[in-house]
C-alpha cells in the first residue's frame, strides 16, 4: 500500500511530529508562553484592589483613640477625687464657721452631685473613644464616621481649652487632628468600604 508522496502537500499526511508547525489545541497558559502573575492585592489577599489588612494610618488612629480614651478615663477618676476633696473641704469649713451643718452638707452634696455628673460625662466620652478604637479592626464605615466625629469633638474641646491657657490640651488637639487625617485618607476609605 502506498500512501503517496510524503513531499506532496495535497496528498494524505502521515503523522506529524509533536510541536511541529502550528499548535493543534489551545495553549495551556494564556500569554506568550509565560505564565501570568497572580493579581496584586494591596494589604494582603482577598479581592483584587480591596485591602483586607488594616492600613498603617488606621492602626495609628486606633492607638491614638486608645490613648485619648485612657486619658479621659483617668480624667473622670480625677474629677471624682476632686469632688470628694471639695466635699471634705466644705465639711471642714462648716464645722469651723458659724454656718449650719445642714446648709454646709446640702452645698457639699450639690457640689459632689455636680462632680459626679461631670465624671460620668467624661467617662462616657472616654468609653466612646475606646470602643471606637476597639471596633476599627472589623467595623464598617459607621465606625469610621464615629471615630472621626469623636476626634472632631476632642479637637473642638482642645481648642476651647487652649483659650483657657491649658497647654496640655495641645496633646489632645494634635491627636484629634491626626485621627481625622488618618481616617479620612483614601486607603482607610478602601479598607472600611471593603466587602466582608
Amino acid at each position: 500500500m502506498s500512501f503517496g508522496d510524503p513531499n506532496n502537500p495535497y496528498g494524505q499526511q502521515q503523522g506529524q511530529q509533536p510541536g511541529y508547525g502550528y499548535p493543534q489545541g489551545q495553549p495551556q497558559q494564556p500569554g506568550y508562553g509565560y505564565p501570568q502573575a497572580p493579581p496584586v492585592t494591596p494589604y494582603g489577599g482577598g479581592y483584587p484592589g480591596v485591602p483586607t489588612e488594616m492600613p498603617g494610618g488606621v492602626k495609628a488612629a486606633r492607638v491614638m483613640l486608645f490613648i485619648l480614651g485612657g486619658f479621659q478615663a483617668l480624667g473622670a477618676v480625677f474629677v471624682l477625687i476632686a469632688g470628694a476633696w471639695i466635699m471634705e473641704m466644705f465639711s471642714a469649713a462648716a464645722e469651723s464657721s458659724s454656718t449650719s451643718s445642714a446648709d454646709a452638707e446640702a452645698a457639699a452634696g450639690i457640689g459632689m452631685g455636680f462632680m459626679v455628673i461631670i465624671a460620668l460625662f467624661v467617662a462616657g466620652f472616654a468609653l466612646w473613644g475606646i470602643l471606637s478604637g476597639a471596633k476599627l479592626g472589623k467595623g464598617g464605615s459607621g465606625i469610621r464616621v464615629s471615630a472621626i466625629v469623636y476626634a472632631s469633638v476632642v479637637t473642638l474641646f482642645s481648642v476651647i481649652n487652649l483659650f483657657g491657657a491649658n497647654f496640655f490640651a495641645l496633646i489632645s488637639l494634635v491627636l484629634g487632628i491626626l485621627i481625622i487625617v488618618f481616617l479620612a485618607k483614601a486607603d482607610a476609605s478602601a479598607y472600611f468600604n471593603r466587602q466582608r
Side-chain angles (χ1 to χ4, degrees), residues 19-133:
Y20 179 77
Y22 294 107
Q24 300 297 322
Q26 295 289 336
Q28 292 293 336
Q29 294 287 334
Y32 296 99
Y34 297 103
Q36 275 192 335
V40 177
T41 57
Y43 310 112
Y47 298 100
V50 178
T52 57
E53 184 181 323
M54 189 183 302
V58 178
K59 288 179 184 177
R62 184 180 200 182
V63 170
M64 290 177 207
L65 284 167
F66 287 141
I67 290 171
L68 282 174
F71 279 146
Q72 289 164 352
L74 287 175
V77 170
F78 177 73
V79 167
L80 283 178
I81 292 171
W85 179 74
I86 290 172
M87 185 172 168
E88 186 175 320
M89 294 300 287
F90 268 117
S91 297
E95 290 175 6
S96 65
S97 69
S98 63
T99 60
S100 70
S101 63
D103 290 341
E105 289 292 324
I110 291 172
M112 187 61 189
F114 183 69
M115 294 301 256
V116 166
I117 289 172
I118 290 175
L120 286 175
F121 177 75
V122 172
F125 201 69
L127 186 64
W128 180 17
I130 291 171
L131 286 178
S132 293

Side-chain angles (χ1 to χ4, degrees), residues 154-174:
V154 165
T155 303
L156 174 69
F157 281 117
S158 298
V159 169
I160 292 170
N161 282 332
L162 279 177
F163 286 128
N166 181 3
F167 294 108
F168 291 111
L170 277 174
I171 297 170
S172 60
L173 176 68
V174 169

